[in-house]
Amino acid sequence: MRCRISRVENLTLVPYQSQRSKIGNPDGLSRLFSRFSTRVSSLSDTVRSATTKHFGRCKEQEPRQTQELNDSQDATNDVSSPHDLIPWIDLLPPELLAAIFQEYVELGRSPWNLACVCVKWREVALGIAVLWKHLLVIDNPGMVRRFTNQQVPGYRNRLIFGRFQICMTAEQVDDAVSRTGSVLLDVKIALSQQKDPDVLPANNSLDLLLKVFGTNGIHRRIGSISIYGLPSTVPSFPQPLIASFPYLNSFTCTTGSTEWFPLIGQMLSPSRGLTYLRLNARFLDVVKHSEFWGTLQDLHVGESALADPHVCEIAANTALSRCQRLESLHIGTATRWPNANSPTVSHNKLLNAQLHCHPRYLGQLRAPLLKILDITEFQQSTECTSVDTSGFPAVEKLTAWTSDPRWIYGSKFSNLISLSITSPYHRIVADTHWGGVPPNEVFVPNAFPLVEEVKFHVASTDITFIAALESVPNAQKITIVPGVLPNPNFGQDLLPRLSGPEPFVICPKAQRIQIGIRLECLDASKDILEPLVQTVVDDRQRGGSPLESFIIYWPRPILMKEYVKHEGDVVG
């Protein structure tokens, strides 16, 4: 809903000058205010309902308000600055102001910044419990230098780190929780392995752990918990840890010694409402028999150099066979799944999968709604020329880190829109690298006619890239990364094929072409290639299908050069 206020719609919308001096982060708030008109349209239906109700009550009073504004305008004819007029933010109802505050905090800003502006803002901010639900529990005073010290009227100075309330003692945890009403908390824990006893009491870490995990702590208020640091050894607890978190829906743990495994397993095993889980690979074996797998929607199994791959495989087979609601799956290199011992499983709601496995085992996965597939081999697949992909017919984006792409072209990915193939070998690959098979038999011509975006990251020669591009005839965005080693002949055969008349030209619908990336620049003859690149640009322009962009990353020094000139551009 738009509300037009007569005679003041052209004002510069800023807070009072006196208020501006109190803003904790004026640059951030000013940017937020400048984008207000565009952000209001994206607010939630709840906010729209609130504003509709508020302005509906004011509709009958509009003529009187308009007259009052007109009268007040006559009294402010001598005002030299709009700063002295009523600030636009004060014209908003509390419901809409609260919605803006929530947007501000979700951008990663501290609610204490809002509480510093004026009394009204402080009252509104302190009355919105959801603004204060983010807690960061730490015991290392050395981290204080990373935080901002914010002066808050009526309160002691506050340490600010993004949206989080900083809690370094059990008392500070209680104080932070007191502002959250009945909202479920988002708690992040970063406890150090060693403490300075001269700065904090020796039992401070214990007090914080008991406050979060203990039977008399805040465990019943926690909806999300992330553990990024734990003491190297488990302290002696005077009371047992809580058996479960009844309202926990998100759990992250990327650190911790094996001594913590039983306690973390004790916390998670009875959980039945968990929807997000991010674990170090070593933890997977601890929780493989837990009850939460049936409700899990998002699973990330991270890396671990100390994890036993065989143990991780068994744990993954046990756990993932029970995930019926999984929508997003990310498996790190330490966990090879699916594998030779994996049962055939169906994930009928899975949309996004990042796997680390041999391609031949993909047939053991059934995911009819899968849209995004990212697969990394853990060993060469030179003997794997076809894969059963009938279990995920809806894949639209395929990213493969593979030593031999023949299995991709021997499979049925009929709905692909985006294709990325990366070779793990950063060297010049012979044209007969893939088992003695020439590139034109590896990359099947017109194999993927629907692909619009393609990336080939292979240290090879022109004949390979020509064959690869012929397999995606309608590609519009093309990225080619030929490796970091010197390749003096690169492009002399490829670039002429990107220009000229059909049917000689490849990828006639291309709009954006990029050769090299910032970390892997093109090490070839610039003097030879630049005229060929300019020919491609000119021929496409004359042919009625001009390129939007043609970029090459050159080394020494790293230079990204654009060869398509646009009006007003300065081309280096």
Side-chain angles (χ1 to χ4, degrees):
M1 170 179 291
R2 296 181 179 273
C3 180
R4 182 178 182 275
I5 302 179
S6 175
R7 303 286 293 277
V8 297
E9 63 270 21
N10 294 324
L11 287 179
T12 301
L13 303 181
V14 296
Y16 287 122
Q17 185 67 32
S18 60
Q19 292 176 351
R20 294 174 67 198
S21 63
K22 299 179 182 179
I23 295 177
N25 189 351
D27 293 337
L29 286 175
S30 297
R31 289 194 296 270
L32 181 68
F33 294 158
S34 67
R35 301 197 307 268
F36 170 73
S37 60
T38 58
R39 296 189 69 86
V40 168
S41 62
S42 65
L43 293 176
S44 64
D45 293 339
T46 302
V47 176
R48 290 194 179 94
S49 299
T51 54
T52 300
K53 180 178 179 180
H54 174 82
F55 286 110
R57 293 195 303 264
C58 297
K59 186 174 182 181
E60 296 180 358
Q61 303 177 12
E62 184 175 357
R64 179 177 58 83
Q65 293 174 339
T66 302
Q67 183 60 44
E68 290 176 355
L69 287 172
N70 292 339
D71 293 342
S72 65
Q73 182 68 25
D74 295 336
T76 58
N77 288 333
D78 297 331
V79 174
S80 59
S81 172
H83 295 171
D84 298 321
L85 298 177
I86 297 176
W88 65 272
I89 200 74
D90 282 351
L91 300 176
L92 299 177
E95 300 92 341
L96 189 53
L97 189 62
I100 295 174
F101 285 3
Q102 292 183 47
E103 290 282 334
Y104 177 82
V105 172
E106 288 306 311
L107 290 174
R109 310 295 180 81
S110 173
W112 287 116
N113 288 338
L114 302 170
C116 290
V117 174
C118 63
V119 173
K120 177 181 177 180
W121 282 33
R122 184 155 54 252
E123 291 176 350
V124 173
L126 291 173
I128 307 172
V130 71
L131 300 183
W132 309 93
K133 70 176 184 177
H134 306 286
L135 275 62
L136 175 59
V137 179
I138 63 172
D139 67 344
N140 184 3
M143 296 182 64
V144 172
R145 63 179 180 272
R146 305 180 185 179
F147 306 146
T148 301
N149 194 346
Q150 177 68 63
Q151 296 182 356
V152 184
Y155 291 81
R156 67 178 186 273
N157 290 358
R158 298 287 174 169
L159 293 177
I160 292 177
F161 182 71
R163 71 186 73 175
F164 294 96
Q165 298 189 78
I166 309 300
C167 304
M168 300 182 66
T169 64
E171 291 74 17
Q172 290 178 358
V173 173
D174 290 332
D175 178 65
V177 172
S178 67
R179 284 181 284 276
T180 61
S182 59
V183 174
L184 290 179
L185 304 177
D186 170 26
V187 179
K188 288 181 170 45
I189 300 176
L191 301 182
S192 58
Q193 295 186 359
Q194 297 180 352
K195 306 181 297 297
D196 184 351
D198 296 331
V199 180
L200 288 175
N203 64 346
N204 186 65
S205 293
L206 176 60
D207 292 341
L208 289 171
L209 287 169
L210 290 176
K211 179 58 65 175
V212 177
F213 300 129
T215 54
N216 295 325
I218 61 173
H219 59 93
R220 293 187 178 276
R221 294 289 315 281
I222 295 178
S224 172
I225 187 167
S226 302
I227 302 175
Y228 298 109
L230 289 171
S232 56
T233 58
V234 180
S236 298
F237 291 98
Q239 55 175 307
L241 286 184
I242 187 66
S244 66
F245 288 67
Y247 302 107
L248 189 67
N249 56 60
S250 174
F251 183 82
T252 297
C253 185
T254 59
T255 186
S257 66
T258 54
E259 295 184 26
W260 286 95
F261 287 9
L263 294 178
I264 291 176
Q266 180 184 355
M267 287 187 291
L268 287 180
S269 293
S271 300
R272 297 184 179 182
L274 204 63
T275 59
Y276 178 90
L277 179 63
R278 188 183 190 99
L279 285 175
N280 184 298
R282 292 184 297 165
F283 286 110
L284 193 59
D285 185 58
V286 179
V287 296
K288 62 184 179 184
H289 295 298
S290 299
E291 300 181 15
F292 56 74
W293 296 104
T295 62
L296 207 61
Q297 298 177 7
D298 196 337
L299 173 63
H300 293 248
V301 181
E303 313 293 339
S304 177
L306 301 178
D308 185 336
H310 180 66
V311 173
C312 291
E313 287 181 11
I314 297 175
N317 290 338
T318 302
L320 290 170
S321 63
R322 303 167 60 193
C323 297
Q324 304 302 319
R325 300 185 181 180
L326 208 59
E327 297 179 3
S328 180
L329 173 63
H330 297 263
I331 300 291
T333 57
T335 307
R336 301 166 183 174
W337 188 91
N339 51 68
N341 298 315
S342 299
T344 300
V345 295
S346 297
H347 294 291
N348 295 325
K349 296 186 178 182
L350 189 63
L351 301 175
N352 181 1
Q354 181 176 328
L355 308 176
H356 188 83
C357 68
H358 194 289
R360 67 164 62 96
Y361 301 128
L362 287 175
Q364 292 161 244
L365 172 64
R366 294 287 182 266
L369 299 182
L370 187 67
K371 298 291 186 182
I372 301 174
L373 175 60
D374 187 327
I375 176 173
T376 300
E377 298 175 4
F378 68 88
Q379 63 186 46
Q380 294 188 26
S381 59
T382 53
E383 298 179 358
C384 183
T385 57
S386 65
V387 172
D388 178 13
T389 58
S390 60
F392 30 90
V395 172
E396 296 179 352
K397 181 177 181 179
L398 174 64
T399 301
W401 183 283
T402 178
S403 59
D404 186 350
R406 283 183 293 171
W407 66 268
I408 299 175
Y409 288 86
S411 307
K412 295 181 180 179
F413 292 103
S414 57
N415 293 312
L416 276 188
I417 297 177
S418 175
L419 173 63
S420 176
I421 298 176
T422 299
S423 169
Y425 300 103
H426 295 282
R427 59 180 175 82
I428 300 297
V429 178
D431 295 333
T432 58
H433 167 62
W434 295 290
V437 179
N440 60 350
E441 295 184 18
V442 174
F443 301 97
V444 180
N446 301 317
F448 303 114
L450 301 181
V451 167
E452 299 176 355
E453 181 176 353
V454 66
K455 177 181 179 181
F456 294 113
H457 188 166
V458 181
S460 191
T461 57
D462 281 12
I463 187 172
T464 297
F465 291 114
I466 291 173
L469 292 178
E470 287 178 338
S471 70
V472 287
N474 297 310
Q476 299 177 20
K477 183 178 179 181
I478 300 170
T479 301
I480 294 174
V481 186
V484 295
L485 297 179
N487 194 348
N489 297 321
F490 174 83
Q492 298 179 34
D493 295 323
L494 172 63
L495 292 176
R497 291 296 308 275
L498 290 171
S499 62
E502 296 189 46
F504 177 78
V505 66
I506 53 177
C507 300
K509 297 182 180 180
Q511 298 177 0
R512 295 177 177 269
I513 300 175
Q514 177 178 321
I515 299 178
I517 55 178
R518 183 168 294 278
L519 296 180
E520 294 191 32
C521 301
L522 176 62
D523 196 350
S525 174
K526 190 174 182 180
D527 293 336
I528 295 176
L529 290 188
E530 284 197 323
L532 296 176
V533 171
Q534 197 59 53
T535 299
V536 174
V537 173
D538 295 341
D539 284 354
R540 296 264 180 168
Q541 179 72 33
R542 287 191 294 266
S545 55
L547 294 173
E548 296 180 7
S549 176
F550 196 132
I551 293 174
I552 295 182
Y553 280 87
W554 297 104
R556 296 185 296 273
I558 296 177
L559 172 66
M560 183 191 75
K561 187 170 182 179
E562 169 65 80
Y563 290 89
V564 177
K565 297 181 180 180
H566 300 280
E567 184 177 354
D569 287 352
V570 177
V571 180

